[in-house]
Amino acid sequence: MTFPQIRSIEELLLSKQHGLACDLDETCCDTVFYWITKMQKIFGNPENLVAEKMVEKYQYVQNVPYWQTPEAEAWVKEALVSNELQVELPQIKEAKYFLKEISKIIPINCYLTVRPESIVRGTRKWLIKHDFPEAAIFAKPDDVLRTDGNRWKADILRNAYPYILGIIDDNQGLLQELGPEYPGTLFLFGHRTVSSEYSRVIPCPDWKTVFQKVKNIIKYS
């Protein structure tokens, strides 16, 4: 199967090849931008902010004060488990190109995401639609709370090392869950700086930088 779904570390380690994991939302998919654009149309935009400015100001839809209504919350709850919505998401600029280049240097072992397992079908369609490098999809079990997503992901990364040597991910919250003792490398997409206590975290403001940093690490390892 193209982009097979896996549900355990044991399945992940069957290939026994060393490689990287890659996040999806805000790393490959411009999810927040899409959500904010959609919600502006449905629930209004009293500040008349373009989507980019609203993302810059509020970061996430749950921080937009005038969308804290039962109707908006119900829409978000439904959208979180919509396979159809996943297929509509726009790409992050240059993500596919540089991820393909990275996969020529080191395998992409899986797309490790805190999306629930219930939307793997839509996630797979999106990856096929945009011709991303083929790899397994490892999604958060439905019974793991969304608020515990980073903890779940960190546990996978720690227990799958060294077969998963690191991950490309935008979420700084993952740092706290991994801790400074994590032996793998976190390529922190979309960030220019990071706390000095995290020696194995490499800030990468864009995908070109991710590619260059991965290339340099593999070259000298």
Side-chain angles (χ1 to χ4, degrees):
M1 179 190 292
T2 304
F3 299 99
Q5 180 181 2
I6 56 175
R7 292 183 170 89
S8 69
I9 293 175
E10 289 72 23
E11 288 182 79
L12 181 61
L13 301 184
L14 283 176
S15 68
K16 297 193 180 298
Q17 67 175 1
H18 295 261
L20 294 176
C22 185
D23 179 47
L24 288 171
D25 296 304
E26 316 319 323
T27 303
C28 295
C29 312
D30 206 347
T31 311
V32 170
F33 176 82
Y34 174 85
W35 278 44
I36 281 183
T37 302
K38 195 92 168 175
M39 291 186 74
Q40 282 179 335
K41 294 177 181 177
I42 300 171
F43 300 108
N45 179 15
E47 294 179 281
N48 292 316
L49 293 173
V50 296
E52 291 85 354
K53 289 296 182 182
M54 188 171 279
V55 172
E56 185 179 314
K57 182 174 182 178
Y58 294 113
Q59 190 174 11
Y60 298 116
V61 294
Q62 59 264 35
N63 297 331
V64 181
Y66 39 85
W67 290 346
Q68 307 311 305
T69 66
E71 293 78 14
E73 290 173 4
W75 185 89
V76 170
K77 185 177 180 180
E78 186 174 335
L80 282 171
V81 293
S82 168
N83 279 282
E84 290 69 28
L85 182 146
Q86 310 313 313
V87 184
E88 296 179 19
L89 298 174
Q91 299 179 65
I92 294 285
K93 185 180 179 181
E94 298 185 321
K96 175 180 68 177
Y97 172 78
F98 281 113
L99 197 58
K100 282 187 171 183
E101 292 301 302
I102 289 168
S103 69
K104 296 174 184 177
I105 301 169
I106 183 171
I108 305 301
N109 279 355
C110 70
Y111 294 98
L112 184 59
T113 175
V114 297
R115 292 180 180 187
E117 289 181 332
S118 56
I119 56 172
V120 164
R121 178 170 55 85
T123 299
R124 181 182 294 117
K125 285 184 177 180
W126 186 90
L127 289 163
I128 293 171
K129 173 183 176 181
H130 294 289
D131 190 31
F132 269 72
E134 186 172 347
I137 301 170
F138 199 164
K140 177 183 69 62
D142 290 336
D143 60 356
V144 174
L145 296 175
R146 185 172 178 81
T147 51
D148 293 331
N150 282 332
R151 185 175 305 145
W152 169 82
K153 184 183 280 190
D155 286 343
I156 299 298
L157 290 169
R158 281 193 295 266
N159 290 313
Y161 185 86
Y163 292 106
I164 298 295
L165 292 164
I167 186 170
I168 305 164
D169 201 304
D170 72 292
N171 195 336
Q172 288 197 84
L174 186 58
L175 296 179
Q176 285 72 38
E177 297 296 344
L178 285 171
E181 72 284 354
Y182 171 61
T185 303
L186 171 57
F187 299 91
L188 190 61
F189 174 74
H191 298 270
R192 295 184 179 277
T193 60
V194 69
S195 172
S196 59
E197 68 177 306
Y198 296 102
S199 60
R200 301 302 301 270
V201 178
I202 301 175
C204 303
D206 51 43
W207 267 99
K208 184 177 181 179
T209 306
V210 174
F211 169 69
Q212 291 171 337
K213 297 297 184 182
V214 171
K215 186 177 179 180
N216 287 342
I217 285 179
I218 300 304
K219 180 179 179 180
Y220 293 109
S221 62

